[in-house]
Amino acid sequence: MNDPVRIAMWSGPRNISTAMMRSFGARRDCAVTDEPFYGAYLKQTGAPQPMAETVIESMDCDWRSVAYAMRGPVPDGRAIWYQKHMPHHMVGPVDILDFPDHAHGFLIRHPARVVASYAAKRIGISLDDLGYERQRDDFDRIAQIQGKAPPVLDSADILRDPEAALRQLCTALGIRWDPAMLHWERGYRSTDGVWASHWYNKVAESSGFAPPERDLPQLSSTQAAIAEAAMPFYHAMKAQALTL
């Protein structure tokens, strides 16, 4: 029997990361885990996130304990374990280098779209909340250690041609393509974080990837400044993205 493939997919918030988790969760051979370090991040930083106290109470908030679990047995003995991670959550004693046996991937999205979507769910936002700089640093660290660039996917490419994008991602991660990844059942999941009721309403109503995005959203001057500050990191990652 082959060893299971543990996938660590790193993205900032509002990067269609939950839709990607739904996509992998639609595979019969894949378990999924939703932002396992979120509780530890909130407990350490005291960040004023929606439902923060509820999240902390619902999760293991010990950094090393969570990391040990993510390296441990795969739930239900599945062949693949898709772990949805946020780079900006990793502010404690554990970081991306503590997962040397994982297949790492990076999901990106244009900053203007991220800022607009995030601002609709939270009043105050900052560049650090979006994780662009940490994501870029982690990409470089993994590329240096592995001797090759880990796969990067732009959400716009996924929405434009989900099958082509996911086929390429599966190849890069060393797993077989499964057409089940294109569709899923509507609703919430037992594997969703307790925060799903605040953040996941659109995904819960979906049964597949949304249509391609059109024009960039209009932003306030404050929001535009945050998006502009993120652009150099986004462009650096975009230059490494898989091409369809």
Side-chain angles (χ1 to χ4, degrees), residues 6-11 82-83 85 87 96 102-108 135 138-139 142 146 149-153 169 172-173 237:
R6 292 174 177 80
I7 298 168
M9 185 62 72
W10 301 89
S11 76
Y82 184 89
Q83 301 171 7
H85 292 294
I96 196 170
H102 281 57
H104 295 276
F106 293 83
L107 181 64
I108 61 173
Q135 187 181 48
D138 284 347
F139 171 87
I142 290 297
Q146 294 184 343
V152 177
L153 264 181
L169 178 62
L173 294 172
M237 294 292 285

Side-chain angles (χ1 to χ4, degrees), residues 91-130:
V91 297
V94 174
D95 70 11
I96 196 170
L97 299 186
D98 289 298
F99 304 95
D101 297 324
H102 281 57
H104 295 276
F106 293 83
L107 181 64
I108 61 173
R109 190 185 186 194
H110 192 287
R113 299 192 189 282
V114 171
V115 169
S117 181
Y118 196 57
K121 290 288 187 177
R122 187 177 173 202
I123 296 175
I125 64 173
S126 69
L127 180 62
D128 287 344
D129 292 328
L130 308 182

Side-chain angles (χ1 to χ4, degrees), residues 12 16 33 60 77 148 161 198 205 231:
I16 73 165
T33 294
D60 180 356
K148 63 178 181 179
D161 193 339
H198 180 83
E205 296 168 358
M231 286 301 293

Side-chain angles (χ1 to χ4, degrees), residues 207-225:
S207 59
F209 289 100
E213 297 171 312
R214 298 185 180 277
D215 296 337
L216 292 176
Q218 295 293 316
L219 302 176
S220 69
S221 58
T222 300
Q223 293 167 353

